Amino acid sequence: MNIYPTSLQYSTILTQQFPMITAYYAFALCAGNTFGGIIISPLNRLFNDFGLRPLFHISAGVQLVAYGIAVSTVPNWSTARPTDQSAYFKPDLMWVCLVAFLLGVADSANSASSAVWCSRILPGRASHTYSTARFYRGIAASMIFFFSPILTMRTHAAILISVTFISALSFELAVKKIEKRD
């Protein structure tokens, strides 16, 4: 949901009320990331393989909720141009901070989960696998940014939801292979 901060700036309803909306977004995103780390660390120690399936599914679930709230609270064309359109729910700072917090938690969970499955999929080469995965995520995010002037918020969300489901299916298949191997 990298396009979300741009959509906040292009939503004139939000920028008129909250000129520093991006700063609030950044703070809430960092708070969510920190909160995720504080929660994930003890759970990883408490439960065996928490960083594998449970954490990945938590990350995917939180992402889907964040996408739904973002689509519902930001004007559809605010990804590409300034607009004063309304959304399903009135755009407000509370929604912005909630989405940012959820995206921070999801990022924290996703990073921790990726580190675990990278170490399991290619033992001894975890850093290489993790770096390669981050590289391809960066390319995918760049492609979405490249096409953002022609994509609406709902289209972005549809793409991200599809990718989330495809990655969940791929993840399950990879984990089954890892479990058979181990």
Side-chain angles (χ1 to χ4, degrees):
M1 189 66 41
N2 294 337
I3 199 67
Y4 188 67
T6 303
S7 68
L8 301 177
Q9 288 300 312
Y10 281 166
S11 175
T12 55
I13 296 169
L14 285 170
T15 54
Q16 287 173 353
Q17 286 183 316
F18 310 103
M20 299 294 292
I21 191 102
T22 311
Y24 290 112
Y25 171 84
F27 179 78
L29 184 74
C30 290
N33 216 313
T34 303
F35 177 78
I38 289 170
I39 297 299
I40 291 166
S41 183
L43 291 174
N44 267 336
R45 286 190 295 271
L46 191 60
F47 299 106
N48 186 31
D49 276 344
F50 179 77
L52 206 55
R53 270 198 179 102
L55 195 53
F56 179 82
H57 292 298
I58 289 169
S59 173
V62 170
Q63 286 175 9
L64 293 173
V65 169
Y67 301 157
I69 295 171
V71 166
S72 302
T73 60
V74 173
N76 195 34
W77 275 107
S78 63
T79 56
R81 60 181 175 260
T83 182
D84 60 354
Q85 289 177 325
S86 62
Y88 295 119
F89 299 108
K90 183 178 182 258
D92 191 59
L93 184 62
M94 176 196 71
W95 293 118
V96 171
C97 290
L98 178 61
V99 168
F101 186 83
L102 291 174
L103 289 174
V105 170
D107 181 57
S108 179
N110 196 16
S111 294
S113 178
S114 294
V116 170
W117 69 261
C118 284
S119 68
R120 298 278 301 273
I121 201 160
L122 288 174
R125 292 206 169 271
S127 61
H128 294 62
T129 309
Y130 187 78
S131 297
T132 303
R134 294 300 286 184
F135 174 75
Y136 284 111
R137 282 186 201 146
I139 288 175
S142 297
M143 288 173 43
I144 288 177
F145 275 136
F146 181 75
F147 290 108
S148 66
I150 59 172
L151 300 176
T152 65
M153 183 60 124
R154 289 184 202 115
T155 308
H156 277 282
I159 291 168
L160 292 173
I161 289 168
S162 300
V163 168
T164 301
F165 280 118
I166 291 168
S167 66
L169 178 64
S170 301
F171 176 81
E172 283 298 323
L173 294 173
V175 168
K176 285 180 183 176
K177 285 183 181 181
I178 290 170
E179 289 174 343
K180 281 182 185 178
R181 183 186 69 202
D182 291 346

